């Protein structure tokens, strides 16, 4: 066969790259994965992602495309739309956003004009960059007002939200977070938005799986639009989703395409459709419930070990921990823990005196470990591993002994081995 037309498997075609991918497989198999925005997708989701759908262009929407050959792409996108609508009880779904940030930008493009005022939870208080933080396009092209959390209990202060909304009369109010361990009061936000004539938009990127599984309130009835990524607690492929009321459907669709994006990533759309079907099952509802049970059990064990939890605990999948009393910064601890096979991220805490790149806290999420089948009784060992790593890091100025790191890595791998990760 002509050399240029040979079509060898990846291991043969690009062994260097293949080795890196196999290395990542092993890393994910053997690490205690605690990054709150990550998960393990199912084999079915992985399979749908790696298909010939990646070869196809499909600008437009089902039935209204700019390309031919939509025999299968249209029904796939329609399936994803129908499943997303049913899962969250939404009038309309757009399944094309490439991820959460483009989804949020599309909502702004669809519902606001550049220069309009928006309100969102400030990044240092647990909000997301795209909710109007100053370095984000959402804070550059829109006038952004940021609300925070109370100093004493680290909860969103609805009195502050109301008074800022009355003062600034925003066109759009974001409710959502990247690092807030408590339930969001969607009806209270909706009441404030209605009073000032703002669109309420929930970004449920972190808790979408909990919403789908019925263990977190659903914002859809209260909001003009709801955005989410599909890959965190929802356990789908890397991607985004916008749900909205029927009256905003045309504006949102126009904002996604042609406003912001070109052709949708059809292989990802297919994988989203698989994930939405999985998330509608009783097994997924049990999974979502277990995530919260595990997070609360881990919170108790860490509190017993003297850790300071922001807001004192958690209602969802994540814990935010202030390491100040442990004598180590979040970044240094996270780097040292990673060397011990424990993967999490340094994170700013509310009113953090340290800089965002070297903050006081760490953030922990339980979605990945729960996907492996860990339950509450495993959380004592998870807490012990985290604690040993943090104490070793603090005692060594962030440079724990290589032999200790190797021992901890082996212990983590041995602990996890009986609970294989989906997709691997
Ligand atoms: N902010 C990222 C996170 O929560 O990890 C996702 O955008």
């Amino acid at each position: 066969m002509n050399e240029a037309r040979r079509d060898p498997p990846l291991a043969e075609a690009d062994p260097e790259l293949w080795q890196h991918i196999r290395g990542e497989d092993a890393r994910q198999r053997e690490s205690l994965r605690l990054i709150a925005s990550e998960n393990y997708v199912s084999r079915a989701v992985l399979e749908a992602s790696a298909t010939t759908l990646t070869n196809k262009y499909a600008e437009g929407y089902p039935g209204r495309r700019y390309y031919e050959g939509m025999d299968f792409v249209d029904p796939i996108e329609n399936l994803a739309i129908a499943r997303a609508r049913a899962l969250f009880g939404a009038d309309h779904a757009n399944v094309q956003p490439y991820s959460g940030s483009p989804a949020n930008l599309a909502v702004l493009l669809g519902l606001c004009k550049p220069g309009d005022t928006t309100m969102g939870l400030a990044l240092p208080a647990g909000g997301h960059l795209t909710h109007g933080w100053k370095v984000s396009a959402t804070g550059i092209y829109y006038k952004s007002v940021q609300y925070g959390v109370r100093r004493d209990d680290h909860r969103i202060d609805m009195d502050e939200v109301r008074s800022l909304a009355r003062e600034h009369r925003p066109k759009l109010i974001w409710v959502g977070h990247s690092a807030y361990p408590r339930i969001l009061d969607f009806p209270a936000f909706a009441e404030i938005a209605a009073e000032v004539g703002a669109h309420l938009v929930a970004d449920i990127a972190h808790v979408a799986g909990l919403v789908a599984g019925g263990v977190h309130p659903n914002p859809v009835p209260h909001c003009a639009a709801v955005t989410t990524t599909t890959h965190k607690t929802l356990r789908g492929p890397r991607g985004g989703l916008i749900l909205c009321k029927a009256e905003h459907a045309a504006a949102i669709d126009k904002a996604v395409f042609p406003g912001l994006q070109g052709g949708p990533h059809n292989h990802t759309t297919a994988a989203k459709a698989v994930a939405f079907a999985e998330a509608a099952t009783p097994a997924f509802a049990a999974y979502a419930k277990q995530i919260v049970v595990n997070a609360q059990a881990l919170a108790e064990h860490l509190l017993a070990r003297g850790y300071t939890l922001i807001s004192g605990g958690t209602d969802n999948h994540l814990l935010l921990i202030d390491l100040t009393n442990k004598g180590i910064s979040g970044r240094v601890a996270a780097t040292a823990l990673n060397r011990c096979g424990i993967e999490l991220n340094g994170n700013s805490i509310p009113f953090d005196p340290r800089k965002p790149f070297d903050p006081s806290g760490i953030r922990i999420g339980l979605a990945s470990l729960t996907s492996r089948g860990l339950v509450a009784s495993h959380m004592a060992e998870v807490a012990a591993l985290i604690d040993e790593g943090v104490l070793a890091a603090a005692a060594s100025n962030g440079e724990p002994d290589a032999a200790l790191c190797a021992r901890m890595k082996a212990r983590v791998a041995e602990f996890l081995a009986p609970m294989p990760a989906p997709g691997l």
Side-chain angles (χ1 to χ4, degrees):
M1 194 188 215
N2 175 338
E3 186 58 25
R5 293 187 53 128
R6 279 189 69 238
D7 195 13
L10 181 59
E12 190 189 322
D14 194 336
E16 185 182 1
L17 188 90
W18 187 84
Q19 285 293 346
H20 289 312
I21 295 173
R22 294 286 82 85
E24 177 63 11
D25 287 354
R27 199 192 64 76
Q28 291 193 15
R29 189 178 296 115
E30 291 164 13
S31 310
L32 203 63
R33 297 183 61 229
L34 294 166
I35 291 182
S37 44
E38 296 183 353
N39 209 331
Y40 294 98
V41 298
S42 67
R43 179 181 296 265
V45 167
L46 270 185
E47 268 182 32
S49 301
T51 55
T52 52
L53 292 163
T54 196
N55 297 337
K56 191 74 197 95
Y57 246 109
E59 280 181 5
Y61 290 99
R64 289 175 292 124
R65 305 279 194 186
Y66 291 80
Y67 293 82
E68 297 305 317
M70 295 301 140
D71 316 46
F72 303 103
V73 167
D74 271 5
I76 287 168
E77 187 165 331
N78 278 330
L79 256 187
I81 290 168
R83 290 176 180 178
R85 288 181 56 207
L87 188 62
F88 293 101
D91 293 348
H92 180 73
N94 187 309
V95 297
Q96 295 192 3
Y98 298 144
S99 200
S101 296
N104 287 351
L105 210 47
V107 167
L108 287 169
L109 188 63
L111 302 186
C112 297
K113 294 197 171 43
D116 278 351
T117 299
T118 72
M119 270 177 59
L121 181 62
L123 186 70
H128 191 256
L129 277 168
T130 56
H131 299 173
W133 192 241
K134 53 196 172 219
V135 297
S136 157
T138 61
I140 294 169
Y141 295 109
Y142 299 86
K143 183 168 171 278
S144 168
V145 175
Q146 303 267 276
Y147 55 89
V149 294
R150 284 189 292 258
R151 203 176 263 277
D152 56 351
D153 64 358
H154 301 135
R155 310 272 178 140
I156 293 171
D157 181 349
M158 295 310 298
D159 291 336
E160 185 200 15
V161 176
R162 186 177 294 101
S163 77
L164 285 172
R166 283 177 178 163
E167 182 187 344
H168 296 280
R169 315 293 297 187
K171 185 81 186 289
L172 183 151
I173 299 176
W174 291 107
V175 50
H177 62 80
S178 272
Y180 183 72
R182 295 298 177 179
I183 297 282
L184 298 161
D185 189 348
F186 298 125
F189 272 95
E191 197 185 300
I192 294 168
E195 185 192 323
V196 302
H199 297 299
L200 181 65
V201 181
D203 176 346
I204 57 168
H206 269 265
V207 296
L210 306 185
V211 172
V215 291
H216 190 289
N218 184 354
V220 166
H222 307 286
C223 292
V226 174
T227 65
T228 184
T229 49
T230 46
H231 49 267
K232 299 185 174 95
T233 53
L234 194 52
R235 211 160 70 183
R238 304 297 294 230
L241 166 69
I242 304 174
L243 307 161
C244 67
K245 295 264 191 289
E247 69 203 84
H248 301 303
I252 293 293
D253 284 354
K254 201 171 151 202
V256 174
F257 174 83
L260 275 178
Q261 297 189 172
H265 295 174
N266 309 303
H267 53 308
T268 304
T269 304
K272 287 176 191 175
V274 175
F276 299 151
E278 289 177 353
T281 61
F284 192 91
Y287 163 70
K289 193 169 169 196
Q290 190 66 51
I291 293 176
V292 179
V293 167
N294 287 351
Q296 291 176 340
L298 183 60
E300 289 307 317
H301 287 294
L302 289 172
L303 284 167
R305 287 173 178 271
Y307 284 82
T308 306
L309 267 55
I310 297 302
S311 85
T314 184
D315 298 327
N316 58 28
H317 65 304
L318 71 84
L319 315 178
L320 189 58
I321 302 171
D322 178 359
L323 289 181
T324 307
N325 67 339
K326 300 289 174 185
I328 189 166
S329 79
R331 168 160 294 271
V332 175
T335 305
L337 285 166
N338 189 49
R339 290 178 51 210
C340 300
I342 301 169
E343 189 192 350
L344 46 74
N345 64 287
N347 212 100
S348 292
I349 56 169
F351 311 100
D352 203 327
R354 302 181 66 89
K355 296 259 185 278
F357 200 67
D358 186 18
S360 299
I362 51 173
R363 186 185 63 161
I364 287 176
L366 273 301
S368 299
L369 291 190
T370 309
S371 291
R372 294 186 76 132
L374 274 75
V375 294
S377 57
H378 294 111
M379 294 303 129
E381 177 65 358
V382 174
L385 286 163
I386 294 168
D387 192 29
E388 276 181 45
V390 168
L391 294 182
S396 61
N397 281 328
E399 295 290 338
D401 177 57
L404 181 140
C405 290
R407 276 201 307 281
M408 282 197 65
K409 252 188 154 161
R411 189 167 138 207
V412 166
E414 192 185 348
F415 170 60
L416 292 173
M419 293 161 286
L424 289 172

